[in-house]
Amino acid sequence: MSQIPLQKPPPSQHRAALWSWVRVWVHVVAGLLTLSFRFPFANQEAKNQHIQNWSKKLLSIFGIELRLKNPEILPATPYLLASNHISWMDIHAINAFKPVRFVAKSDVEGWPIFGWMAKQLGTVFIKRDNSRHGKQVANEVARVLETQSVCIFPEGTSTIGESVLPFKPNLFESAVIAGVPVYSLAISYKSSLTGKNSDVVAFVGEMGLLESMAQILRDRQQVVELVFLAPSGAAPEAPKDRKWLALHSQEAISSYLKGDQCFM
């Protein structure tokens, strides 16, 4: 029985893939240099500008278009932003819009290069399986919220974006302590060709970071949509119950992703 020979990708595809990786690593090195030599002497406004510019270019390199809905509802004063979580790219999409501080799982701290970069950007790391540590982090985040906005991913893991996992309430305590409002963010990724939901950018299961990067670079036709949802009743006052805050935020994001616009 004869076998059909496998067709090799044309040389042009190999060159395009190689060039994409070169652009990624040149951009990463540029970020490392900025963090090493510019950040120590920059004020927060200048740092935010560096972060935003770097993140915008990263999205461009990976062929991801950023779209926003309702960004005008966010206040100028600090707030807690609770978001569903799909990919490591979520952070860069948010920073491309408006840099904030993030809370990330402790695993990220150990990532080569990117873990160090996250620490330099002021990321707060949390041990997801340690409730006592979660309370300590909530207090730490509350102190950050006195001067800066913070984004959390309360699902505790990433998904392909079709549904929202139950939100863990611990970190919502930071908003109660600091007395700031909690806004919600619904993130979704779509194909720029079909407009349908896409799992190309999803970072789930046992997938490694380099594997995820390669998958996105092979496609380079994605849209990330950030939809900002107001607090309960469209009022920014923060309730004093972390469980209520977590449940409301989870339901708001879930309802939006399912097509219910009542939380807009």
Side-chain angles (χ1 to χ4, degrees):
M1 181 176 178
S2 61
Q3 292 183 340
I4 300 175
L6 295 176
Q7 290 186 343
K8 293 183 179 180
S12 59
Q13 287 189 15
H14 284 300
R15 288 194 294 270
L18 179 60
W19 176 239
S20 293
W21 279 107
V22 169
R23 292 182 68 199
V24 168
W25 292 115
V26 167
H27 190 53
V28 169
V29 170
L32 290 171
L33 293 175
T34 297
L35 289 172
S36 299
F37 299 108
R38 292 189 175 184
F39 260 47
F41 309 102
N43 58 29
Q44 192 58 52
E45 183 178 355
K47 289 179 179 179
N48 287 345
Q49 191 63 59
H50 286 308
I51 293 169
Q52 185 178 42
N53 291 341
W54 191 89
S55 298
K56 283 182 176 180
K57 186 169 183 180
L58 185 76
L59 292 186
S60 176
I61 291 172
F62 279 90
I64 299 176
E65 178 189 349
L66 176 64
R67 294 179 185 172
L68 306 170
K69 286 188 178 180
N70 294 338
E72 67 279 358
I73 70 172
L74 297 175
T77 52
Y79 53 87
L80 185 70
L81 185 64
S83 173
N84 63 314
H85 193 22
I86 298 173
S87 172
W88 57 274
M89 191 62 78
D90 298 347
I91 289 175
H92 305 298
I94 295 167
N95 276 337
F97 158 62
K98 186 177 182 180
V100 296
R101 295 277 292 274
F102 287 88
V103 177
K105 58 184 181 181
S106 55
D107 302 27
V108 175
E109 190 175 7
W111 286 3
I113 302 177
F114 293 100
W116 181 84
M117 294 177 76
K119 284 194 286 187
Q120 303 311 305
L121 294 173
T123 301
V124 179
F125 297 101
I126 182 172
K127 299 175 183 176
R128 295 290 186 185
D129 56 351
N130 188 324
S131 59
R132 181 177 298 179
H133 185 249
K135 293 178 182 178
Q136 295 174 349
V137 171
N139 288 324
E140 183 178 347
V141 172
R143 288 191 292 271
V144 175
L145 284 169
E146 293 175 3
T147 56
Q148 299 179 65
S149 298
V150 177
C151 179
I152 61 174
F153 299 110
E155 290 169 293
T157 188
S158 53
T159 72
I160 62 173
E162 292 181 350
S163 59
V164 181
L165 298 176
F167 277 10
K168 296 175 172 58
N170 280 355
L171 290 177
F172 287 88
E173 184 69 19
S174 62
V176 176
I177 296 171
V180 301
V182 177
Y183 287 78
S184 301
L185 170 60
I187 296 181
S188 61
Y189 292 87
K190 305 178 189 300
S191 166
S192 59
L193 296 177
T194 66
K196 296 181 180 180
N197 288 340
S198 168
D199 61 0
V200 168
V201 187
F203 187 55
V204 294
E206 300 301 316
M207 178 179 284
L209 180 59
L210 292 179
E211 180 186 354
S212 174
M213 293 169 71
Q215 179 168 286
I216 302 170
L217 286 173
R218 281 194 297 269
D219 187 282
R220 298 195 76 258
Q221 293 175 322
Q222 298 289 306
V223 172
V224 57
E225 185 177 80
L226 307 184
V227 181
F228 297 93
L229 307 171
S232 175
E237 290 80 9
K240 303 301 182 184
D241 186 277
R242 65 182 183 178
K243 292 183 178 180
W244 187 94
L245 287 168
L247 182 60
H248 174 269
S249 184
Q250 175 196 328
E251 290 181 344
I253 295 171
S254 179
S255 294
Y256 178 81
L257 293 177
K258 291 176 181 177
D260 183 354
Q261 308 299 310
C262 68
F263 283 92
M264 295 288 286

